[in-house]
Amino acid sequence: MRTYTIASIPGDGIGKEVIPAGERVLDHLAARAGGFSFRFQRFDWGSDYYRQHGIMMPADGLSQLKNVDAIYFGAVGAPDIPDHITLWGLRLAICQPFDQYANVRPARVLPGISSPLANLDAGALDWVIVRENSEGEYSGAGGRVHRGLPEEVAMEVSVFTRPGVERVIRFAFELARSRPRKLLTVVTKSNAQRHGMVLWDQIAEEVSRNYPDVTWDKMLVDAMTVRMVMKPASLDTIVATNLHADVLSDLAAALSGSMGVAPTANLNPERRFPSMFEPIHGSAFDITGMGIANPIGTFWSAVMMLEHLGEREAAARLMGAIEKVTRQGRLHTPDLGGEASTELVTEAVLDSLG
Ligand code: IPM
Ligand code: MG
């Protein structure tokens, strides 16, 4: 029997509520499916850790993670600590050194959930956004000088490298090819940003030659928001820069019904380092401790983790159980307009796994 070692990092806020729910579901699934099991290693890193130690995770944190099969991550962020400290101190401190350059964010209207888009046909919104996750606008390059003086200057430098752009675009073409419609949209802002974004367009053109079976087009990011709302069925796989895809994936999550259901995978496709799976929502301090966080995004992220581990059958089984639960309005948490608790939804998913 195969045992997968999973580092779980609940982090902050509702991360501490949804990750334990996800562990329960995964343990139950493994027991039912047979053939594999999980060993969860809990890490208490995050804002509480920061308040005690002045750092978000220990200095040797990465070496503690480096041999696990996957990382299951909750959320990071606290009202009393600046967001750039919590983000760079934990989430990006894992994503970047582990070279998790492909951030995959599916968006789909699950059964029983309604989209804010009026008259959306069933199946018309079924996208997967690939977010470049290692450079671009999140490179961290830049600086601030003359602090506090009238001539203060801040520079936030986007970094686009040929290998960085090429590998994520290739990943997106491969993903598009693996999906039934074989359709890819490459998003940039190459009219206004005439260096890095033009490089993106050029590399997309070059890479596309290896994928004659994939139909692809280009969109400017502003126009893309309009297309996502007005013509959702015209899209399938989408690739964009770190920041553009950050924004588009929030829109995608909202259009598919709630931020609470959206999952994400931070992948190191070459598997030199562990990949990390997390719900797309944040720590949500406004509802922390109330027991009403939607665990569906965390469960769907577990589906992506199972796929990454090669447990395809178990992944499909869990997705089926999730969809059985979302279909019933009485099992919707408040973000979906219902009254169900995290516990009730979790129990329902456990039940529907058999
Ligand atoms: C996301 C989040 C993060 C990001 C935040 C927490 C900094 O919005 O995963 O999309 O922008 O990367
Ligand atoms: Mg975001």
Side-chain angles (χ1 to χ4, degrees):
M1 171 145 101
R2 177 81 207 260
T3 298
Y4 297 109
T5 303
I6 308 296
S8 63
I9 309 177
D12 298 338
I14 61 170
K16 290 185 183 146
E17 300 167 37
V18 291
I19 289 295
E23 291 176 1
R24 269 172 75 194
V25 163
L26 281 165
D27 273 338
H28 185 87
L29 173 69
R32 288 291 179 278
F36 65 93
S37 65
F38 294 103
R39 193 165 65 86
F40 293 102
Q41 271 178 11
R42 273 280 180 94
F43 294 90
D44 63 350
W45 305 340
S47 297
D48 289 340
Y49 191 93
Y50 179 85
R51 288 185 202 99
Q52 276 178 24
H53 305 275
I55 40 175
M56 294 290 291
M57 68 178 195
D60 68 345
L62 289 176
S63 62
Q64 296 188 43
L65 297 178
K66 90 174 179 289
N67 294 317
V68 301
D69 294 298
I71 303 166
Y72 200 28
F73 190 91
V76 68
D80 57 323
I81 305 175
D83 286 336
H84 65 273
I85 292 185
T86 52
L87 174 69
W88 282 93
L90 190 58
R91 194 174 160 274
L92 291 182
I94 297 171
C95 287
Q96 295 201 346
F98 281 172
D99 209 16
Q100 295 164 349
Y101 65 83
N103 181 198
V104 181
R105 302 187 157 192
R108 184 154 63 82
V109 185
L110 297 181
I113 293 182
S114 47
S115 166
L117 290 176
N119 308 320
L120 187 76
D121 295 333
L125 194 165
D126 183 357
W127 305 330
V128 51
I129 298 179
V130 178
R131 171 181 180 182
E132 200 296 315
N133 212 32
S134 70
E135 53 175 39
E137 308 86 347
Y138 282 58
S139 70
R144 237 172 114 172
V145 289
H146 311 311
R147 276 182 191 250
L149 297 178
E151 60 273 36
E152 180 163 5
V153 178
M155 277 172 297
E156 194 74 49
V157 181
S158 298
V159 174
F160 299 102
T161 65
R162 176 170 274 280
V165 177
E166 217 172 86
R167 65 186 183 175
V168 79
I169 290 184
R170 197 174 311 114
F171 181 91
F173 268 100
E174 288 290 337
L175 184 62
R177 172 180 270 175
S178 75
R179 289 170 55 91
R181 295 174 70 197
K182 301 189 195 304
L183 203 60
L184 176 67
T185 301
V186 178
V187 178
T188 67
K189 185 66 189 172
S190 54
N191 52 352
Q193 299 180 298
R194 60 192 178 149
H195 309 295
M197 296 291 79
V198 174
L199 178 68
W200 265 69
D201 280 352
Q202 190 185 321
I203 290 176
E205 193 74 51
E206 291 168 16
V207 172
S208 74
R209 291 184 206 129
N210 299 315
Y211 298 88
D213 53 328
V214 174
T215 308
W216 75 288
D217 61 1
K218 288 189 288 192
M219 285 299 289
L220 298 172
V221 66
D222 49 348
M224 182 66 172
T225 61
V226 178
R227 181 163 163 198
M228 286 166 73
V229 173
M230 306 302 288
K231 291 189 171 175
S234 72
L235 296 162
D236 186 83
T237 309
I238 297 159
V239 63
T241 70
N242 215 329
L243 181 62
H244 291 164
D246 175 41
V247 177
L248 296 180
S249 59
D250 266 28
L251 176 59
L255 295 178
S256 56
S258 167
M259 287 292 288
V261 301
T264 179
N266 299 279
L267 300 178
N268 173 251
E270 291 75 27
R271 296 172 188 261
R272 284 174 51 223
F273 302 101
S275 294
M276 181 158 83
F277 302 82
E278 54 171 347
I280 192 174
H281 63 68
S283 45
F285 354 106
D286 53 329
I287 58 161
T288 298
M290 295 167 69
I292 53 166
N294 193 341
I296 296 294
T298 301
F299 299 160
W300 193 351
S301 303
V303 171
M304 299 184 83
M305 185 162 88
L306 289 161
E307 281 165 357
H308 180 75
L309 294 172
E311 299 293 347
R312 301 211 146 263
E313 227 170 274
R317 185 164 170 178
L318 178 53
M319 199 66 219
I322 291 170
E323 293 184 352
K324 219 163 128 189
V325 168
T326 58
R327 209 169 270 134
Q328 303 173 55
R330 68 173 190 88
L331 297 173
H332 287 181
T333 43
D335 56 300
L336 293 170
E339 287 174 7
S341 63
T342 312
E343 179 64 25
L344 186 71
V345 179
T346 306
E347 293 283 347
V349 171
L350 293 175
D351 277 355
S352 61
L353 282 170

